[in-house]
Amino acid sequence: AEKVVARLTYLEHLIQDMLLYVRGEAGGREPIKVADLLADLRQVMEPQMLERGLVFQVGHGAGEAHISGSREALTGALVNLLENAMQWSPASGHVSLASEVVGEEVWLRVSDSGPGIESAMLERMFDPFFTTRSDGTGLGLAIVRGVAQAHGGEIIVQSTPGSGAEFALRLPTAKIE
C-alpha cells in the first residue's frame, strides 16, 4: 500500500508539473513585497532543511523592493530551486536564499554547497523532460525558466564542479505608488 501511495504521489506531481509547464505563468499580476515572499519561503522550507541537517540562510538585501506578478508562480519557481539545492547538498551543507536590488531589477539567488554542475549539463538543464534524477520529471527547471520569462526576467546559473551552484532569478522591480 505504501508503494502504491508513493507512486500515485509521484504521478500527481508529474501531472502538476506538466500542467504548469503547458500553462506557463498561473494567475494575474499583483505587487509582491520581496521581503514578504522570502519570509513565506523561509517558513515553508526551513523545517525541511533542518530535517536534512542543512543550514538554511535567508538574506533580505532587497529591503522594501517590490516585484509584479503571480505570487503563486514565483513561489513555485523558488520552491523548485530550493528543493533542488536541498537535494544536491550534502548533510551539514548549506543552502541560501538571498535578494538584492541591482539597478531597476531584483535578483533572487538560491545557492547551495552541492557538487556543482558539469558544463555539459548546463546546456541542457532547462530543456523540458531532461533530468539526471531517477525520480525527476525534467520539468522543474523548464518551469522556472518559463516563470522568469513570463515576469519579464530570466534565470541565470553559475556553477563550478565541486563548488556548489547558484541560480539567480533576475526580475524587474515594480513601482509602488
Side-chain angles (χ1 to χ4, degrees):
E2 288 177 16
K3 287 182 181 181
V4 170
V5 170
R7 198 67 186 150
L8 287 173
T9 301
Y10 169 79
L11 290 172
E12 179 182 11
H13 287 288
L14 177 62
I15 291 167
Q16 288 174 350
D17 285 349
M18 289 171 52
L19 290 172
L20 275 173
Y21 179 71
V22 170
R23 284 191 306 231
E25 178 189 0
R29 294 251 176 219
E30 64 180 286
I32 304 164
K33 186 175 178 182
V34 175
D36 293 346
L37 180 64
L38 268 58
D40 291 348
L41 287 162
R42 171 180 232 140
Q43 186 177 17
V44 169
M45 297 303 298
E46 196 164 44
Q48 296 173 54
M49 298 284 181
L50 291 173
E51 186 177 302
R52 293 185 56 107
L54 298 170
V55 175
F56 182 46
Q57 299 170 321
V58 178
H60 298 278
E64 297 294 311
H66 286 74
I67 51 180
S68 177
S70 166
R71 180 182 282 272
E72 179 184 354
L74 288 167
T75 299
L78 289 164
V79 164
N80 184 290
L81 293 175
L82 289 165
E83 286 178 344
N84 284 349
M86 184 174 63
Q87 290 171 356
W88 286 104
S89 293
S92 76
H94 72 272
V95 174
S96 68
L97 170 63
S99 66
E100 69 177 313
V101 176
V102 179
E104 297 293 315
E105 297 174 331
V106 171
W107 287 59
L108 302 169
R109 301 176 193 272
V110 174
S111 59
D112 65 55
S113 60
I117 304 166
E118 298 290 332
S119 59
M121 301 303 256
L122 288 172
E123 296 174 17
R124 298 199 55 211
M125 64 189 324
F126 292 103
D127 292 348
F129 305 107
F130 176 76
T131 185
T132 58
R133 294 190 344 237
S134 62
D135 63 339
T137 62
L139 288 171
L141 291 175
I143 291 168
V144 170
R145 182 177 59 187
V147 168
Q149 291 171 344
H151 286 80
E154 67 177 331
I155 179 85
I156 300 165
V157 183
Q158 294 181 333
S159 180
T160 303
S163 299
E166 178 182 272
F167 288 77
L169 276 177
R170 184 183 60 82
L171 303 166
T173 57
K175 306 291 187 228
I176 303 299
E177 298 177 16

